[in-house]
Amino acid sequence: GESVGLHLPTLSVQEGDNSIINCAYSNSASDYFIWYKQESGKGPQFIIDIRSNMDKRQGQRVTVLLNKTVKHLSLQIAATQPGDSAVYFCAENTGRRALTFGSGTRLQVQP
Amino acid sequence: EAGVAQSPRYKIIEKRQSVAFWCNPISGHATLYWYQQILGQGPKLLIQFQNNGVVDDSQLPKDRFSAERLKGVDSTLKIQPAKLEDSAVYLCASSFSSRTGTTYEQYFGPGTRLTVT
């Protein structure tokens, strides 16, 4: 299928390694953050979220870290698998408004 | 639980023609969003509905784009007339809404890929 992002920054990792994807957000008033995974030809898929009153949240094989001081968000994927290959977007939200998405990072997992 | 449904999945039209997209959100989700995703970019909000009312349409090109959610469930997005730069994927998303204002995650449909020639 057609690629989601042809000119995105790319992170290439070996299968089994840990991956860290970084994101800088823009609005200091944002109080809710989400990481989405998007595969070619599909809509964004929810991975994990975190609210601004937290610094860290863990899911299954994924961890999100939030540093409000420098407005930085990161997604850590443990034991990266080929199925993790996709474009990853961070998104921020303020109140009841819609999400503002970052520009995305392509993750390529080498077998 | 069924996800967000969108149709059609693909559409090819010539410039100046009109096109319409349909979205059925997850049952019980009061908030519905339409996003435009240009190749290589993140989704950008076009319009947000709360039930059948518009919450935010500040980024909707109202001279050519229109959207409605008459009964507060499914929604249609229309473009008339289309321009070449409208070629993109149009994503519909929905979310649960809390009376206290708590934000919940948005669930996305598969999108409609529009090509304007």
Side-chain angles (χ1 to χ4, degrees), chain A residues 2-6 8 31-32 34 36 38 41-44 46 49 51 89 93 95-99 101-103, chain B residues 9 33 35 37 39-43 45 48 56 91 98-110 113:
Chain A
E2 187 174 343
S3 190
V4 169
L6 297 179
L8 295 170
D31 56 10
Y32 181 60
I34 306 180
Y36 282 95
Q38 189 172 27
K42 297 183 179 180
F46 173 86
D49 60 359
R51 299 194 184 274
F89 292 98
N93 176 273
R96 299 185 182 187
R97 299 183 63 186
L99 296 169
F101 281 79
S103 56
Chain B
R9 292 296 314 277
Y33 313 80
Y35 290 85
Q37 186 175 26
L39 190 64
Q41 300 179 16
L45 178 72
Q48 176 183 351
D56 184 356
L91 294 163
S98 164
R99 291 185 178 182
T100 62
T102 301
T103 305
Y104 295 89
E105 64 266 26
Q106 296 178 23
Y107 294 88
F108 284 81
R113 182 175 301 280

Side-chain angles (χ1 to χ4, degrees), chain B residues 4-101:
Chain B
V4 177
Q6 290 188 247
S7 67
R9 292 296 314 277
Y10 305 92
K11 191 73 177 179
I12 302 174
I13 61 172
E14 296 181 350
K15 59 183 179 183
R16 291 186 290 274
Q17 287 186 324
S18 62
V19 65
F21 313 126
W22 175 82
C23 171
N24 191 32
I26 292 173
S27 178
H29 283 192
T31 309
L32 184 148
Y33 313 80
W34 283 102
Y35 290 85
Q36 179 193 58
Q37 186 175 26
I38 293 173
L39 190 64
Q41 300 179 16
K44 184 189 78 172
L45 178 72
L46 291 174
I47 189 167
Q48 176 183 351
F49 290 95
Q50 179 77 12
N51 297 308
N52 61 351
V54 176
V55 174
D56 184 356
D57 64 355
S58 58
Q59 299 185 79
L60 186 74
K62 298 179 186 64
D63 58 334
R64 297 183 302 106
F65 286 65
S66 65
E68 61 183 14
R69 194 185 184 200
L70 295 177
K71 296 183 179 179
V73 180
D74 55 352
S75 175
T76 57
L77 175 69
K78 298 179 181 178
I79 308 175
Q80 181 180 14
K83 294 184 175 181
L84 295 177
E85 58 261 36
D86 298 332
S87 293
V89 174
Y90 291 84
L91 294 163
C92 179
S94 70
S95 68
F96 176 75
S97 296
S98 164
R99 291 185 178 182
T100 62

Side-chain angles (χ1 to χ4, degrees), chain A residues 19-92:
Chain A
S19 303
I20 300 177
I21 300 172
N22 296 303
C23 174
Y25 64 92
S26 57
N27 189 347
S28 57
S30 293
D31 56 10
Y32 181 60
F33 305 88
I34 306 180
W35 280 101
Y36 282 95
K37 171 186 179 183
Q38 189 172 27
E39 298 171 285
S40 290
K42 297 183 179 180
Q45 177 188 359
F46 173 86
I47 301 174
I48 191 168
D49 60 359
I50 188 168
R51 299 194 184 274
S52 59
N53 60 352
M54 302 174 67
D55 298 321
K56 178 179 179 180
R57 190 167 187 217
Q58 290 184 293
Q60 187 177 13
R61 283 203 306 121
V62 294
T63 301
V64 55
L65 299 177
L66 175 63
N67 185 329
K68 296 181 287 293
T69 302
V70 295
K71 293 190 287 186
H72 184 268
L73 200 64
S74 69
L75 176 70
Q76 301 177 1
I77 305 174
T80 312
Q81 302 169 0
D84 295 327
S85 293
V87 176
Y88 289 80
F89 292 98
C90 67
E92 59 184 298

